[in-house]
Amino acid sequence: MKGGYGKLRSLSNVLSTKCFRAEANKFITNKFISYHLDLKFETWQKNEINSIKPLVYGPENPRFLLISQAPSLQDWLNGKTSDSPDGGLVSAQNNFLVNDVLPAFGLSGKDLDLFRKNVFWAHTCNCYPWYRESTNIKSGKITRQDRLPGNKQIENCLSRWIDSLTRIGSLKAIVLMGEPATRLFPQLKEEAEGFTDLVRKMEIRNDIIEGIEILPIYHQSKKNRTFNDPVDRAVNNELKLLLKNKFAGWIE
């Protein structure tokens, strides 16, 4: 990716957003509303998830990309994505953008407009990647947990446009929030290096794409089990401080 082409002037040269939005909203209405109303009698086919066109849009001239893993089931059923007018939020109480993402950049709810003006927030997989079930050995209780996007889903979604997105002329940095996002840039990892090892280095790479800084961070969900480890909790706090200090420079 390094060198070889000039950057694009704006996001409008990359994506036809109205087409994606209209197609996805139609798909949601026809296929998923009954599933949302009655989980017992509707089946969400895996091939439908893999073939849906993603909802990807954001500011015309973003200063940096924030790439996370995937929307929640509720967000996807409601047709909401990270960059929708309400931030892809289900409710004020369940406000992932304000309560979890903004603080990672040293921001708060009052900085929401500043964030939206400068940040293109996309998912590696903009369709819901389904869930997995597990049974508690003692209680027998079945719980569901969102799956991470698979390589095929990432291939069908953001990886189709990542080369074009990284050529946006205004772009200064890319923040990769969570392991799936790092798969878009295999150059980040050395041999068998795992995601946790990669993040713990807290290394900003500027040698992969000319003129753009890349930083992997932990996914900021409070459900992230990584934060239970004292070492990684401390690393996350240091990453927040690093992001806070870099954010002002990125949006200049």
Side-chain angles (χ1 to χ4, degrees):
M1 288 185 182
K2 186 173 181 180
Y5 43 64
K7 292 184 178 180
L8 300 181
R9 289 186 177 179
S10 74
L11 186 58
S12 60
N13 295 327
V14 181
L15 302 172
S16 176
T17 60
K18 290 183 179 179
C19 175
F20 290 143
R21 233 177 289 182
E23 185 169 350
N25 286 336
K26 180 180 178 182
F27 191 89
I28 292 168
T29 301
N30 293 341
K31 296 290 185 180
F32 296 158
I33 295 302
S34 57
Y35 180 93
H36 175 50
L37 295 176
D38 194 340
L39 294 177
K40 295 180 181 178
F41 302 107
E42 280 293 327
T43 301
W44 194 349
Q45 299 297 325
K46 201 74 188 308
N47 64 334
E48 293 175 337
I49 300 172
N50 289 336
S51 64
I52 181 65
K53 296 292 188 298
L55 286 161
V56 179
Y57 57 101
E60 284 291 311
N61 296 288
R63 296 298 183 180
F64 71 93
L65 302 181
L66 172 63
I67 305 177
S68 53
Q69 51 196 45
S72 67
L73 173 60
Q74 191 70 53
D75 282 345
W76 181 236
L77 290 172
N78 289 343
K80 297 179 178 181
T81 60
S82 307
D83 293 312
S84 58
D86 62 359
L89 309 176
V90 176
S91 67
Q93 292 72 33
N94 183 23
N95 194 327
F96 178 61
L97 174 57
V98 173
N99 296 338
D100 299 280
V101 175
L102 292 184
F105 293 88
L107 304 174
S108 63
K110 64 181 176 61
D111 303 306
L112 196 56
D113 288 341
L114 178 68
F115 183 85
R116 288 195 177 122
K117 179 182 178 181
N118 292 283
V119 181
F120 185 103
W121 180 9
H123 299 302
T124 58
C125 177
N126 270 292
C127 34
Y128 180 64
W130 209 233
Y131 60 82
R132 64 176 181 270
E133 292 185 342
S134 59
T135 304
N136 186 290
I137 298 177
K138 294 183 178 180
S139 66
K141 183 179 179 180
I142 298 176
T143 58
R144 290 178 175 177
Q145 185 175 5
D146 294 343
R147 290 181 182 273
L148 293 179
N151 289 333
K152 189 65 175 179
Q153 291 172 321
I154 295 174
E155 179 183 340
N156 287 340
C157 286
L158 193 60
S159 67
R160 292 187 178 187
W161 299 287
I162 191 62
D163 284 348
S164 295
L165 290 173
T166 56
R167 294 184 348 239
I168 297 173
S170 58
L171 198 64
K172 293 186 177 181
I174 302 173
V175 176
L176 305 172
M177 187 169 65
E179 187 276 333
T182 63
R183 297 182 215 166
L184 296 166
F185 300 96
Q187 308 96 316
L188 288 168
K189 296 183 179 180
E190 299 177 359
E191 299 179 356
E193 185 178 38
F195 172 68
T196 300
D197 297 324
L198 179 64
V199 175
R200 284 179 177 177
K201 290 194 300 187
M202 292 183 287
E203 180 182 7
I204 295 179
R205 295 283 296 272
N206 55 16
D207 60 326
I208 295 176
I209 307 174
E210 186 175 2
I212 296 178
E213 296 183 326
I214 301 177
L215 176 66
I217 66 172
Y218 295 124
H219 196 280
Q220 294 302 303
S221 170
K222 290 184 174 66
K223 297 180 180 179
N224 191 343
R225 290 174 293 178
T226 303
F227 298 157
N228 294 326
D229 185 305
V231 172
D232 291 297
R233 186 161 53 243
V235 168
N236 192 58
N237 289 335
E238 291 186 53
L239 282 167
K240 285 184 176 182
L241 182 59
L242 176 60
L243 286 171
K244 179 180 179 180
N245 292 333
K246 294 292 294 185
F247 182 79
W250 287 338
I251 66 174
E252 285 181 353

